[in-house]
Amino acid sequence: MSNYNDPRLSILNVAQKSKIMILRQVSNEEFMARCPFCGDSEKSPQHGHLMLNITKDAYHCTRCGEKGYAIGLYARLHRINNSEAFKELMNMAPETVSKIEIKKIPQSPVANINERDKVYRAFLDKLTLKGEHLQNLIRRGLSWEETGRNLYKSVPTNPQERLRICNELLEEGLNLQGVPGFFQVQKENHMYWDFYADNGFFIPVCDIQGRIQGMQIRLDNDLDRKYVWFSSRGKSSGTGAHAWIGVHGVPAKTVLVTEGPLKADIAHFLSRYTFVSVAGVNAIKGIEQVLKELGAKRVFIAYDMDLKSNKNVQKAKERLEKKLIQAGFEVHMKTWDERLGKGIDDYLLWKKRQKAV
């Protein structure tokens, strides 16, 4: 981290001088950009995983895990050391530093877990699950009863319906401030509450006590991305979602770790083993504490089988393995023939169907 208050050493200036494509501001502190290390997703050029933190002058790719600070980023991309990078950046004339407008939007700190759980449960109770989404979940291997227990609900996208739902929650005495997904909108000198909506269905992400920490949305149009967090980061009085670690099952000595809460829900239902889900292969902060709370002794890493050909996933798996071994767990890899399914949920569904034949 640089302690220099000079725009030439800022993370945004370094990104621009390094020809990194900055896509948009996502919060008061962060901009989203395309990652120069992993190249990001080719099928979604307007989505990036490189987060540029203007408060810390730091970067972090949520896809490949690369991270560091502004001067080090310039040094890496220009194949020089940090001292040389500092000199090059300081030798740039101040007027060559491009200006990017930084918007300050009032944000709300995240509410405590009990408040979030209360709001999310009341919110989901007002929603239904469309037939197409129910069929999607059943095709994945879940039962009709399990979809109800897991509280999957379709996202309402109609503005009038969203306004009605928010007003009902407020009338019931619930506080929407600090609950990721909810935000305020001004219209005709009046502020009213709304929530983030996109076509798809909600996937609650619970903690060890079964409380809803936050939610993901499985998008219907998955050409760019399949999942997004139910988040209101960057919205007035909004709150960003965290990469919450989900618990799927009961305390157990043997626990499996996989990527994605829906995948973990399905794998738990099909196997009855306890699963822990991470939002992405690099989103593992605090996972050792969750596993200790579950009483785990043996941990199986069950990432998708494309890790055999995906170097980013391989590196992430190695980082998780090292982290868990250092925390005292017995760590194993769960593997299967990738022709039988990419993910652990696909593989378990194949096994179930084989038994039924």
Side-chain angles (χ1 to χ4, degrees):
M1 177 177 178
S2 86
N3 294 315
Y4 306 100
N5 186 21
D6 191 298
R8 290 169 291 190
L9 301 176
S10 73
I11 190 67
L12 290 183
N13 182 56
V14 165
Q16 288 179 296
K17 298 304 177 187
S18 302
K19 309 300 181 187
I20 291 174
M21 183 186 294
I22 300 173
L23 299 173
R24 58 186 174 276
Q25 184 175 352
V26 294
S27 72
N28 287 340
E29 296 83 27
E30 288 186 317
F31 281 75
M32 177 190 291
R34 300 281 292 175
C35 181
F37 301 109
C38 66
D40 258 310
S41 172
E42 294 181 359
K43 64 181 181 180
S44 181
Q46 292 306 311
H47 180 69
H49 292 84
L50 186 71
M51 308 308 292
L52 306 175
N53 189 301
I54 60 175
T55 302
K56 300 177 181 178
D57 280 327
Y59 68 94
H60 176 222
C61 179
T62 59
R63 184 170 184 257
C64 66
E66 294 291 345
K67 59 184 178 179
Y69 296 98
I71 295 173
L73 175 61
Y74 187 89
R76 284 193 64 184
L77 295 177
H78 292 80
R79 300 180 184 277
I80 55 179
N81 61 41
N82 282 13
S83 178
E84 292 169 325
F86 174 80
K87 291 176 183 177
E88 279 194 19
L89 290 166
M90 290 303 293
N91 283 334
M92 293 178 183
E95 61 268 19
T96 67
V97 178
S98 303
K99 296 291 184 181
I100 294 179
E101 182 184 2
I102 300 174
K103 300 176 182 177
K104 284 292 181 182
I105 303 168
Q107 300 282 278
S108 301
V110 66
N112 68 57
I113 177 63
N114 290 320
E115 288 299 315
R116 299 199 309 272
D117 178 66
K118 189 190 304 182
V119 169
Y120 284 139
R121 288 183 182 278
F123 173 61
L124 292 170
D125 193 48
K126 299 180 185 301
L127 310 183
T128 59
L129 185 65
K130 293 179 181 177
E132 64 209 67
H133 293 147
L134 174 61
Q135 290 305 313
N136 179 309
L137 291 162
I138 290 174
R139 283 196 302 271
R140 292 168 180 262
L142 292 171
S143 67
W144 179 84
E145 294 83 2
E146 191 72 2
T147 65
R149 279 191 289 268
N150 291 347
L151 299 178
Y152 305 121
K153 297 294 177 74
S154 301
V155 182
T157 56
N158 180 275
Q160 285 72 34
E161 185 180 4
R162 299 204 307 268
L163 176 62
R164 175 186 60 77
I165 290 169
C166 288
N167 285 338
E168 287 180 5
L169 292 171
L170 294 170
E171 288 168 4
E172 291 167 12
L174 294 167
N175 184 5
L176 306 184
Q177 194 144 8
V179 180
F182 293 90
F183 60 93
Q184 287 190 303
V185 178
Q186 183 171 354
K187 187 175 181 181
E188 298 176 356
N189 298 320
H190 177 69
M191 297 294 290
Y192 64 91
W193 282 94
D194 197 354
F195 55 85
Y196 172 77
D198 207 337
N199 291 311
F201 60 87
F202 287 116
I203 306 162
V205 181
C206 297
D207 69 357
I208 190 171
Q209 296 180 43
R211 299 173 298 185
I212 301 175
Q213 308 172 83
M215 299 194 289
Q216 282 193 346
I217 299 174
R218 175 51 164 98
L219 299 173
D220 292 341
N221 181 3
D222 60 3
L223 295 177
D224 293 339
R225 329 178 247 175
K226 294 181 179 180
Y227 300 91
V228 295
W229 281 105
F230 183 50
S231 171
S232 44
R233 174 180 290 179
K235 301 285 189 179
S236 179
S237 299
T239 304
H242 295 194
W244 282 291
I245 293 173
V247 175
H248 314 258
V250 298
K253 290 184 178 180
T254 299
V255 175
L256 291 89
V257 177
T258 194
E259 183 186 1
L262 180 57
K263 182 179 299 181
D265 276 346
I266 296 166
H268 165 65
F269 175 71
L270 293 174
S271 69
R272 305 322 299 175
Y273 279 108
T274 295
F275 277 76
V276 162
S277 65
V278 293
V281 292
N282 290 296
I284 59 174
K285 184 178 180 180
I287 192 171
E288 63 273 41
Q289 184 58 40
V290 173
L291 289 166
K292 286 177 181 177
E293 289 176 5
L294 282 167
K297 302 296 181 184
R298 292 177 300 278
V299 180
F300 286 80
I301 301 173
Y303 284 170
D304 287 357
M305 282 296 94
D306 64 349
L307 67 82
K308 295 178 180 178
S309 57
N310 189 321
K311 291 183 179 180
N312 294 325
V313 179
Q314 286 178 14
K315 287 167 61 178
K317 185 269 294 183
E318 290 165 5
R319 279 194 291 268
L320 175 58
E321 192 173 25
K322 181 179 179 182
K323 185 183 186 78
L324 295 181
I325 290 173
Q326 289 176 342
F329 296 101
E330 179 187 324
V331 183
H332 305 272
M333 275 299 299
K334 175 63 179 176
T335 60
W336 56 91
D337 188 335
E338 61 184 315
R339 292 174 297 181
L340 307 180
K342 178 184 175 185
I344 184 69
D345 55 333
D346 302 317
Y347 170 64
L348 291 170
L349 181 58
W350 175 86
K351 284 185 67 176
K352 178 184 176 182
R353 286 171 174 168
Q354 287 300 110
K355 289 180 180 178
V357 174

